[in-house]
Amino acid sequence: GAVVSQHPSRVICKSGTSVKIECRSLDFQATTMFWYRQFPKQSLMLMATSNEGSKATYEQGVEKDKFLINHASLTLSTLTVTSAHPEDSSFYICSAIPIRGVGSSPLHFGNGTRLTVT
Amino acid sequence: LAKTTQPISMDSYEGQEVNITCSHNNIATNDYITWYQQFPSQGPRFIIQGYKTKVTNEVASLFIPADRKSSTLSLPRVSLSDTAVYYCLVGVNSGGYQKVTFGIGTKLQVIP
């Protein structure tokens, strides 16, 4: 259980275009999802917290107009990289926490999206 | 947010037990300790989570001392497929959410 699906797994786009990445919780509902970016040989860096039905909360230094986040339902959050540039090339990962009445709620991660901007 | 400190890298031979220790001196009362495994170009995978004492599942054990300022992930009899980066996270707590910050992780290299 607790599967998070991320799509696409790999995308190549031209500089100046926009790319949408989807994050779905397949067998649970999540009011909160997180988006991370990971550069080669580095750790995951939290970009933003996606809240169902409200605006996302962005970490310092992350441009909200460039990385648009929409969390329209309890099972889907999308990250759109607008006007992508080569420096946006990275590995993007989402995670979600199941809604539970009791007990701990570990994060469950998608398998990531490798974005290459040419 | 509780900051974590782990060794940057570790080497181990196949079949040995590996223990990775994480320090989290400012852990909060409600915080759980969670360990994740990440292979290249994949998302982190949940390994084990605990609050205090010892937790064991089919892949690992987690030892947490009484003061909870550190924790040790124990991988029994590692194989080559256990070569990965292991992250210790503190801050995912019960009943709600708390954004977590990933540390650098421990890169485990299993040697034949």
Side-chain angles (χ1 to χ4, degrees), chain A residues 38 43 59 103-105 107 114, chain B residues 36 38 41 49 92 99 103:
Chain A
Q38 186 175 33
S43 186
E59 294 302 299
S104 61
S105 302
L107 291 169
R114 174 74 60 193
Chain B
Y36 293 87
Q38 187 183 28
S41 296
Q49 183 181 68
V92 181
K99 66 180 182 182

Side-chain angles (χ1 to χ4, degrees), chain B residues 34-77:
Chain B
T34 313
W35 285 79
Y36 293 87
Q37 175 192 57
Q38 187 183 28
F39 297 112
S41 296
Q42 292 188 25
R45 184 176 72 101
F46 171 82
I47 301 175
I48 197 167
Q49 183 181 68
Y51 183 81
K52 62 180 180 180
T53 63
K54 177 184 175 181
V55 179
T56 298
N57 61 22
E58 62 275 11
V59 298
S61 294
L62 179 59
F63 299 92
I64 305 168
D67 66 6
R68 303 200 329 122
K69 293 183 183 298
S70 67
S71 60
T72 299
L73 173 72
S74 181
L75 304 172
R77 298 181 298 280

